[in-house]
Amino acid sequence: MSLELGRRLVHASGAVVPGAYLLDEHVLEVGVVTWPVVQAVVVAGLVLTAVLEFARLYGGLEHAFYDRLTREYEQDSVAGYALYVLSGTVVVLLFEPRIAVPALFMLTLGDPVSGMLSSGELRTVKRPRVLVGMFTVSLLLALPFVPVVAAVAGAAGATVADGVKPVVRGFVVDDNLTIPIVAAVAMWAVIYLP
């Protein structure tokens, strides 16, 4: 398996947490994977991630997992997976499930699709086909949860967060940090602001 495919599969594996919540909430109805349980799991994941990242960056922790799944530019800075966990935690703690779940899916499922469409290119603004792909996937992921206008806003937010790479003080803002937060804020604003 190629390194990029492995990264995409690990990225998509994050859909397990919101997926388990949906399965329990709407299919099994056993009440084990409630939203407070999801919140506790993501907070625990964030704490574990922070410890691992600290150990990797400052304690000399080396593991084949890091060698294979982190990119070269992440060797001396916070890795994308940590930003992914941080943004997912923020969304789960600040938003209700009907907003948080599609925002998480945009990160866990939409972003890997975008990555496959972009062929590993590093561009300031992604190509139109990648933007259209990300928007389409994000829209389809949001439509079961929120009204159409909110789904369009969330998909547009996720597309901009994924497709435009702002640089702040010489650092590229990673889309793993921005996709779910921007998408959730956009959906929330359409639903709750006049």
Side-chain angles (χ1 to χ4, degrees):
M1 177 179 357
S2 76
L3 289 177
E4 280 305 310
L5 180 58
R7 286 186 186 108
R8 307 265 182 258
L9 290 174
V10 169
H11 215 286
S13 71
V16 168
V17 174
Y21 167 76
L22 291 175
L23 183 64
D24 190 350
E25 182 78 9
H26 300 290
V27 178
L28 301 177
E29 299 179 358
V30 293
V32 173
V33 187
T34 62
W35 197 244
V37 168
V38 170
Q39 291 174 319
V41 166
V42 298
V43 167
L46 181 60
V47 170
L48 176 61
T49 299
V51 168
L52 290 173
E53 270 302 276
F54 186 84
R56 182 181 73 84
L57 291 170
Y58 304 108
L61 176 64
E62 294 184 24
H63 192 278
F65 183 80
Y66 289 123
D67 294 338
R68 295 187 58 82
L69 297 178
T70 58
R71 293 186 167 90
E72 186 175 323
Y73 64 85
E74 297 172 323
Q75 298 304 314
D76 297 322
S77 63
V78 176
Y81 86 92
L83 299 173
Y84 171 108
V85 173
L86 174 62
S87 65
T89 303
V90 167
V91 166
V92 166
L93 293 178
L94 295 182
F95 296 94
E96 64 190 283
R98 73 174 177 152
I99 292 172
V101 168
L104 291 173
F105 283 156
M106 290 176 199
L107 173 63
T108 60
L109 302 174
D111 190 34
V113 170
S114 169
M116 289 188 305
L117 292 172
S118 68
S119 305
E121 296 175 314
L122 295 175
R123 301 171 54 93
T124 303
V125 178
K126 291 186 177 179
R127 296 186 186 277
R129 69 184 168 124
V130 179
L131 298 173
V132 169
M134 180 64 175
F135 178 81
T136 303
V137 169
S138 295
L139 179 64
L140 293 172
L141 291 168
L143 283 171
F145 300 95
V146 295
V148 173
V149 176
V152 169
T159 301
V160 170
D162 176 63
V164 178
K165 301 293 178 214
V167 178
V168 177
R169 294 186 178 182
F171 293 99
V172 176
V173 179
D174 194 298
D175 62 1
N176 286 321
L177 180 63
T178 58
I179 290 171
I181 295 171
V182 172
V185 167
M187 288 184 282
W188 179 87
V190 168
I191 293 169
Y192 289 105
L193 296 181

mmCIF file of all heavy atoms in Angstrom, residues 132-163:
data_model
loop_
_atom_site.group_PDB
_atom_site.id
_atom_site.type_symbol
_atom_site.label_atom_id
_atom_site.label_comp_id
_atom_site.label_asym_id
_atom_site.label_seq_id
_atom_site.Cartn_x
_atom_site.Cartn_y
_atom_site.Cartn_z
ATOM 1 N N VAL A 132 -14.454 21.374 -6.768
ATOM 2 C CA VAL A 132 -15.794 20.846 -7.078
ATOM 3 C C VAL A 132 -16.000 19.497 -6.399
ATOM 4 O O VAL A 132 -17.066 19.222 -5.837
ATOM 5 C CB VAL A 132 -15.999 20.736 -8.606
ATOM 6 C CG1 VAL A 132 -17.255 19.942 -8.948
ATOM 7 C CG2 VAL A 132 -16.058 22.134 -9.234
ATOM 8 N N GLY A 133 -14.980 18.659 -6.415
ATOM 9 C CA GLY A 133 -15.082 17.354 -5.751
ATOM 10 C C GLY A 133 -15.307 17.491 -4.253
ATOM 11 O O GLY A 133 -16.180 16.827 -3.683
ATOM 12 N N MET A 134 -14.531 18.350 -3.613
ATOM 13 C CA MET A 134 -14.679 18.558 -2.168
ATOM 14 C C MET A 134 -16.054 19.131 -1.852
ATOM 15 O O MET A 134 -16.711 18.685 -0.900
ATOM 16 C CB MET A 134 -13.575 19.489 -1.647
ATOM 17 C CG MET A 134 -13.656 19.771 -0.156
ATOM 18 S SD MET A 134 -13.418 18.273 0.835
ATOM 19 C CE MET A 134 -13.419 18.965 2.484
ATOM 20 N N PHE A 135 -16.505 20.105 -2.624
ATOM 21 C CA PHE A 135 -17.818 20.698 -2.381
ATOM 22 C C PHE A 135 -18.920 19.646 -2.530
ATOM 23 O O PHE A 135 -19.806 19.547 -1.673
ATOM 24 C CB PHE A 135 -18.081 21.870 -3.343
ATOM 25 C CG PHE A 135 -19.442 22.474 -3.142
ATOM 26 C CD1 PHE A 135 -19.655 23.389 -2.124
ATOM 27 C CD2 PHE A 135 -20.518 22.101 -3.940
ATOM 28 C CE1 PHE A 135 -20.918 23.936 -1.907
ATOM 29 C CE2 PHE A 135 -21.779 22.636 -3.738
ATOM 30 C CZ PHE A 135 -21.983 23.552 -2.721
ATOM 31 N N THR A 136 -18.850 18.860 -3.581
ATOM 32 C CA THR A 136 -19.888 17.857 -3.841
ATOM 33 C C THR A 136 -19.953 16.814 -2.736
ATOM 34 O O THR A 136 -21.033 16.503 -2.215
ATOM 35 C CB THR A 136 -19.640 17.179 -5.211
ATOM 36 O OG1 THR A 136 -19.611 18.189 -6.223
ATOM 37 C CG2 THR A 136 -20.712 16.160 -5.522
ATOM 38 N N VAL A 137 -18.801 16.289 -2.358
ATOM 39 C CA VAL A 137 -18.769 15.277 -1.292
ATOM 40 C C VAL A 137 -19.266 15.884 0.018
ATOM 41 O O VAL A 137 -20.079 15.276 0.725
ATOM 42 C CB VAL A 137 -17.346 14.698 -1.133
ATOM 43 C CG1 VAL A 137 -17.229 13.857 0.126
ATOM 44 C CG2 VAL A 137 -16.973 13.878 -2.354
ATOM 45 N N SER A 138 -18.812 17.088 0.339
ATOM 46 C CA SER A 138 -19.217 17.735 1.592
ATOM 47 C C SER A 138 -20.715 18.019 1.607
ATOM 48 O O SER A 138 -21.381 17.826 2.631
ATOM 49 C CB SER A 138 -18.432 19.035 1.789
ATOM 50 O OG SER A 138 -17.067 18.754 1.948
ATOM 51 N N LEU A 139 -21.247 18.460 0.486
ATOM 52 C CA LEU A 139 -22.686 18.720 0.391
ATOM 53 C C LEU A 139 -23.478 17.430 0.620
ATOM 54 O O LEU A 139 -24.446 17.410 1.397
ATOM 55 C CB LEU A 139 -23.030 19.333 -0.965
ATOM 56 C CG LEU A 139 -24.505 19.639 -1.205
ATOM 57 C CD1 LEU A 139 -25.005 20.706 -0.237
ATOM 58 C CD2 LEU A 139 -24.723 20.092 -2.648
ATOM 59 N N LEU A 140 -23.064 16.366 -0.027
ATOM 60 C CA LEU A 140 -23.760 15.084 0.138
ATOM 61 C C LEU A 140 -23.674 14.575 1.579
ATOM 62 O O LEU A 140 -24.617 13.962 2.082
ATOM 63 C CB LEU A 140 -23.196 14.043 -0.838
ATOM 64 C CG LEU A 140 -23.474 14.322 -2.317
ATOM 65 C CD1 LEU A 140 -22.712 13.339 -3.197
ATOM 66 C CD2 LEU A 140 -24.973 14.276 -2.611
ATOM 67 N N LEU A 141 -22.563 14.844 2.242
ATOM 68 C CA LEU A 141 -22.411 14.425 3.639
ATOM 69 C C LEU A 141 -23.273 15.250 4.584
ATOM 70 O O LEU A 141 -23.709 14.765 5.621
ATOM 71 C CB LEU A 141 -20.941 14.526 4.056
ATOM 72 C CG LEU A 141 -19.999 13.518 3.399
ATOM 73 C CD1 LEU A 141 -18.545 13.898 3.660
ATOM 74 C CD2 LEU A 141 -20.289 12.100 3.877
ATOM 75 N N ALA A 142 -23.546 16.514 4.240
ATOM 76 C CA ALA A 142 -24.311 17.395 5.121
ATOM 77 C C ALA A 142 -25.813 17.298 4.925
ATOM 78 O O ALA A 142 -26.582 17.522 5.866
ATOM 79 C CB ALA A 142 -23.857 18.844 4.920
ATOM 80 N N LEU A 143 -26.262 16.998 3.717
ATOM 81 C CA LEU A 143 -27.699 17.024 3.415
ATOM 82 C C LEU A 143 -28.573 16.155 4.327
ATOM 83 O O LEU A 143 -29.688 16.564 4.655
ATOM 84 C CB LEU A 143 -27.941 16.661 1.949
ATOM 85 C CG LEU A 143 -27.637 17.784 0.959
ATOM 86 C CD1 LEU A 143 -27.693 17.260 -0.478
ATOM 87 C CD2 LEU A 143 -28.597 18.950 1.154
ATOM 88 N N PRO A 144 -28.132 14.998 4.779
ATOM 89 C CA PRO A 144 -28.995 14.212 5.679
ATOM 90 C C PRO A 144 -29.186 14.844 7.067
ATOM 91 O O PRO A 144 -30.044 14.404 7.821
ATOM 92 C CB PRO A 144 -28.257 12.877 5.812
ATOM 93 C CG PRO A 144 -27.343 12.799 4.652
ATOM 94 C CD PRO A 144 -26.959 14.227 4.342
ATOM 95 N N PHE A 145 -28.405 15.864 7.394
ATOM 96 C CA PHE A 145 -28.406 16.388 8.764
ATOM 97 C C PHE A 145 -28.998 17.779 8.913
ATOM 98 O O PHE A 145 -29.568 18.088 9.950
ATOM 99 C CB PHE A 145 -26.968 16.404 9.309
ATOM 100 C CG PHE A 145 -26.340 15.055 9.337
ATOM 101 C CD1 PHE A 145 -25.535 14.615 8.296
ATOM 102 C CD2 PHE A 145 -26.567 14.194 10.401
ATOM 103 C CE1 PHE A 145 -24.958 13.353 8.321
ATOM 104 C CE2 PHE A 145 -26.003 12.937 10.435
ATOM 105 C CZ PHE A 145 -25.197 12.507 9.391
ATOM 106 N N VAL A 146 -28.803 18.625 7.940
ATOM 107 C CA VAL A 146 -29.198 20.029 8.066
ATOM 108 C C VAL A 146 -29.994 20.455 6.832
ATOM 109 O O VAL A 146 -29.938 19.792 5.800
ATOM 110 C CB VAL A 146 -27.960 20.944 8.244
ATOM 111 C CG1 VAL A 146 -27.245 20.648 9.565
ATOM 112 C CG2 VAL A 146 -27.002 20.835 7.075
ATOM 113 N N PRO A 147 -30.732 21.578 6.928
ATOM 114 C CA PRO A 147 -31.454 22.080 5.751
ATOM 115 C C PRO A 147 -30.494 22.362 4.587
ATOM 116 O O PRO A 147 -29.294 22.585 4.793
ATOM 117 C CB PRO A 147 -32.091 23.382 6.258
ATOM 118 C CG PRO A 147 -32.161 23.223 7.747
ATOM 119 C CD PRO A 147 -30.982 22.383 8.126
ATOM 120 N N VAL A 148 -31.038 22.395 3.383
ATOM 121 C CA VAL A 148 -30.230 22.532 2.175
ATOM 122 C C VAL A 148 -29.323 23.760 2.223
ATOM 123 O O VAL A 148 -28.131 23.683 1.904
ATOM 124 C CB VAL A 148 -31.131 22.570 0.906
ATOM 125 C CG1 VAL A 148 -30.314 22.890 -0.330
ATOM 126 C CG2 VAL A 148 -31.856 21.255 0.738
ATOM 127 N N VAL A 149 -29.863 24.904 2.634
ATOM 128 C CA VAL A 149 -29.052 26.130 2.653
ATOM 129 C C VAL A 149 -27.883 25.986 3.627
ATOM 130 O O VAL A 149 -26.753 26.398 3.338
ATOM 131 C CB VAL A 149 -29.924 27.361 2.993
ATOM 132 C CG1 VAL A 149 -29.078 28.617 3.118
ATOM 133 C CG2 VAL A 149 -31.003 27.549 1.942
ATOM 134 N N ALA A 150 -28.120 25.378 4.766
ATOM 135 C CA ALA A 150 -27.041 25.153 5.735
ATOM 136 C C ALA A 150 -26.030 24.149 5.186
ATOM 137 O O ALA A 150 -24.812 24.309 5.387
ATOM 138 C CB ALA A 150 -27.609 24.669 7.061
ATOM 139 N N ALA A 151 -26.508 23.124 4.486
ATOM 140 C CA ALA A 151 -25.600 22.137 3.878
ATOM 141 C C ALA A 151 -24.708 22.796 2.833
ATOM 142 O O ALA A 151 -23.501 22.523 2.774
ATOM 143 C CB ALA A 151 -26.401 20.997 3.263
ATOM 144 N N VAL A 152 -25.291 23.678 2.022
ATOM 145 C CA VAL A 152 -24.502 24.405 1.011
ATOM 146 C C VAL A 152 -23.456 25.284 1.707
ATOM 147 O O VAL A 152 -22.290 25.312 1.297
ATOM 148 C CB VAL A 152 -25.422 25.236 0.095
ATOM 149 C CG1 VAL A 152 -24.617 26.201 -0.771
ATOM 150 C CG2 VAL A 152 -26.270 24.311 -0.776
ATOM 151 N N ALA A 153 -23.853 25.982 2.760
ATOM 152 C CA ALA A 153 -22.912 26.847 3.485
ATOM 153 C C ALA A 153 -21.780 26.020 4.102
ATOM 154 O O ALA A 153 -20.602 26.394 4.014
ATOM 155 C CB ALA A 153 -23.644 27.632 4.564
ATOM 156 N N GLY A 154 -22.132 24.903 4.725
ATOM 157 C CA GLY A 154 -21.108 24.044 5.319
ATOM 158 C C GLY A 154 -20.162 23.474 4.275
ATOM 159 O O GLY A 154 -18.939 23.454 4.474
ATOM 160 N N ALA A 155 -20.715 23.031 3.152
ATOM 161 C CA ALA A 155 -19.885 22.481 2.079
ATOM 162 C C ALA A 155 -18.975 23.556 1.486
ATOM 163 O O ALA A 155 -17.803 23.307 1.201
ATOM 164 C CB ALA A 155 -20.768 21.878 0.986
ATOM 165 N N ALA A 156 -19.507 24.766 1.338
ATOM 166 C CA ALA A 156 -18.688 25.873 0.828
ATOM 167 C C ALA A 156 -17.566 26.198 1.808
ATOM 168 O O ALA A 156 -16.409 26.403 1.405
ATOM 169 C CB ALA A 156 -19.562 27.103 0.573
ATOM 170 N N GLY A 157 -17.899 26.220 3.096
ATOM 171 C CA GLY A 157 -16.873 26.483 4.105
ATOM 172 C C GLY A 157 -15.790 25.422 4.106
ATOM 173 O O GLY A 157 -14.593 25.737 4.156
ATOM 174 N N ALA A 158 -16.194 24.167 4.037
ATOM 175 C CA ALA A 158 -15.221 23.075 4.014
ATOM 176 C C ALA A 158 -14.351 23.147 2.756
ATOM 177 O O ALA A 158 -13.142 22.886 2.808
ATOM 178 C CB ALA A 158 -15.933 21.727 4.083
ATOM 179 N N THR A 159 -14.963 23.520 1.641
ATOM 180 C CA THR A 159 -14.233 23.615 0.374
ATOM 181 C C THR A 159 -13.189 24.719 0.427
ATOM 182 O O THR A 159 -12.043 24.528 0.002
ATOM 183 C CB THR A 159 -15.206 23.846 -0.789
ATOM 184 O OG1 THR A 159 -16.127 22.739 -0.830
ATOM 185 C CG2 THR A 159 -14.479 23.954 -2.113
ATOM 186 N N VAL A 160 -13.562 25.870 0.959
ATOM 187 C CA VAL A 160 -12.588 26.964 1.088
ATOM 188 C C VAL A 160 -11.482 26.568 2.063
ATOM 189 O O VAL A 160 -10.292 26.781 1.795
ATOM 190 C CB VAL A 160 -13.284 28.273 1.531
ATOM 191 C CG1 VAL A 160 -12.264 29.338 1.903
ATOM 192 C CG2 VAL A 160 -14.213 28.778 0.430
ATOM 193 N N ALA A 161 -11.858 25.983 3.196
ATOM 194 C CA ALA A 161 -10.859 25.567 4.188
ATOM 195 C C ALA A 161 -9.901 24.531 3.616
ATOM 196 O O ALA A 161 -8.699 24.551 3.914
ATOM 197 C CB ALA A 161 -11.550 25.014 5.434
ATOM 198 N N ASP A 162 -10.403 23.646 2.780
ATOM 199 C CA ASP A 162 -9.571 22.623 2.161
ATOM 200 C C ASP A 162 -8.777 23.168 0.984
ATOM 201 O O ASP A 162 -7.620 22.807 0.785
ATOM 202 C CB ASP A 162 -10.446 21.455 1.683
ATOM 203 C CG ASP A 162 -9.644 20.412 0.943
ATOM 204 O OD1 ASP A 162 -8.746 19.804 1.559
ATOM 205 O OD2 ASP A 162 -9.900 20.215 -0.266
ATOM 206 N N GLY A 163 -9.406 24.039 0.215
ATOM 207 C CA GLY A 163 -8.834 24.417 -1.072
ATOM 208 C C GLY A 163 -7.926 25.616 -1.078
ATOM 209 O O GLY A 163 -7.170 25.823 -2.033
#
